[in-house]
Amino acid sequence: MFTRRYAISLFLAILLPTTLFAQEKRQVIVCSTTQVADFARQVVGDRMEVKCILAAGQDPHLYEKKPGDAQLVSTADLCLENGWHLEGNDWMNKLATQTGRPIVTCVEGCQPLQVPGIEQAMHDPHVWFSCTNAAIYVRNIRDAVIKLDPEHADEYRSRAGLYLDQLRTLHSWIVREINNIPVEQRVLVTSHDAFNYFCHAYGMQSATPVGWSTGDEVGAGITPQRRQETIDSIRDHKVKAIFVETSVNPTMVREIAREAGVKIGGELYSDSMGGPDTAGETYIGMMRENVITIVQALK
């Protein structure tokens, strides 16, 4: 009995440090937004640890760096950002630069839509709302992690391939669902210009009282003219409903709804996904719930 207990104890003594060491050696990816973090998890599985600076419901345009953010980024083997100034004042890029960590901009390779700026047109950063563009994010992340960990390249390619198949299925499903809305009713009115890529990809028109950013960057801020244009558009198109966003204060949209005489059709995930245990806690779940909300309100 003593010999058996001794053998078990010796085995555990050898195994436990080995297990802890393996856990400690997992490479770390730090992401700026919840969407980017979800894409990264789909590619790396449990092979790497994925952390995200933004929490569910937080607005990347308005986010202000916290004292612990630099410490978190300094632990990263790789940083991932959306890019095109979605992260207000480029806070993620600055954190990576300050801590000397490598960073990949996930929108690279996407075809940008332009939005008005103060001096010149700017790239609209809400690129992930097209499933085709989301696939580009995934490929960029796949290539970056293969470069970081070439030993497990086949594993990353395999996960990415399955997820890309899921995105193609999601794209086809969205097309079918949007076709349930009469063409003249396919007008999407939201808090800010987060849905231009969605509308462009799926045959809708976008109308919003503010620019692409909810903060103070180029293109942000409501004007009386833009507000009236939005109300006129709602009335001209006989829009049945308009929508609030999970990461944007809903007060303005509710006021416009009352003035235009339309209902609030529901809440859409925009610059951030949903929290744990919600239907929108993944990219696919977020897109699915948005489409169901839009179709049910407008058809």
Side-chain angles (χ1 to χ4, degrees), residues 54-68:
L54 287 185
Q58 285 188 303
D59 187 337
H61 300 294
L62 299 177
Y63 185 77
E64 295 183 3
K65 292 182 293 183
K66 294 181 174 59

Side-chain angles (χ1 to χ4, degrees), residues 3-258:
T3 303
R4 181 182 178 187
R5 287 178 178 173
Y6 178 80
I8 292 173
S9 298
L10 180 61
F11 174 77
L12 292 175
I14 295 171
L15 176 63
L16 185 58
T18 303
T19 303
L20 291 175
F21 178 76
Q23 291 176 344
E24 290 171 359
K25 292 300 289 183
R26 279 204 305 171
Q27 291 174 300
V28 174
I29 300 176
V30 176
C31 306
S32 60
T33 71
T34 55
Q35 288 90 348
V36 168
D38 186 47
F39 295 146
R41 292 187 183 101
Q42 300 299 329
V43 174
V44 304
D46 292 328
R47 179 65 62 184
M48 297 182 185
E49 185 176 5
V50 178
K51 300 179 180 180
C52 187
I53 291 181
L54 287 185
Q58 285 188 303
D59 187 337
H61 300 294
L62 299 177
Y63 185 77
E64 295 183 3
K65 292 182 293 183
K66 294 181 174 59
D69 291 343
Q71 175 60 34
L72 176 61
V73 171
S74 71
T75 68
D77 295 284
L78 176 68
C79 294
L80 299 173
E81 67 167 357
N82 185 88
W84 289 351
H85 309 296
L86 178 75
E87 297 85 356
N89 298 312
D90 296 326
W91 52 262
M92 186 63 181
N93 198 288
K94 290 177 180 177
L95 283 168
T97 300
Q98 290 166 5
T99 55
R101 311 317 297 161
I103 186 167
V104 169
T105 300
C106 293
V107 296
E108 290 298 325
C110 294
Q111 184 64 38
L113 296 177
Q114 302 297 313
V115 290
I118 294 175
E119 296 180 356
Q120 61 183 1
M122 306 289 291
H123 291 347
D124 183 341
H126 303 89
V127 183
W128 65 90
F129 275 112
S130 155
C131 293
T132 302
N133 287 334
I136 295 175
Y137 281 56
V138 173
R139 293 187 189 100
N140 286 337
I141 293 169
R142 176 200 62 195
D143 293 346
V145 298
I146 287 174
K147 184 177 180 181
L148 180 64
D149 180 25
E151 181 180 353
H152 300 101
D154 289 344
E155 185 178 306
Y156 302 132
R157 290 191 187 99
S158 183
R159 287 198 195 91
L162 173 60
Y163 191 61
L164 290 170
D165 286 343
Q166 293 172 348
L167 291 178
R168 281 188 285 269
T169 299
L170 177 64
H171 174 83
S172 297
W173 175 82
I174 294 173
V175 171
R176 292 197 305 270
E177 289 296 303
I178 295 299
N179 282 339
N180 291 320
I181 305 172
V183 173
E184 66 275 9
Q185 290 291 330
R186 295 180 194 174
V187 179
L188 185 60
V189 182
T190 58
S191 305
H192 79 299
D193 275 333
F195 291 88
N196 287 327
Y197 290 94
F198 179 88
C199 291
H200 182 76
Y202 302 112
M204 298 192 71
Q205 291 179 258
S206 176
T208 172
V210 299
W212 61 262
S213 168
T214 55
D216 295 327
E217 300 90 3
V218 173
I222 186 170
T223 65
Q225 180 182 358
R226 184 102 184 226
R227 180 191 180 102
Q228 190 58 50
E229 287 173 353
T230 302
I231 293 170
D232 291 343
S233 179
I234 292 169
R235 290 172 175 166
D236 291 344
H237 289 89
K238 297 181 173 58
V239 174
K240 294 175 64 176
I242 65 177
F243 303 88
V244 297
E245 300 174 37
T246 56
S247 58
V248 180
N249 190 316
T251 301
M252 176 186 57
V253 170
R254 295 188 187 280
E255 291 174 353
I256 288 174
R258 284 195 297 269

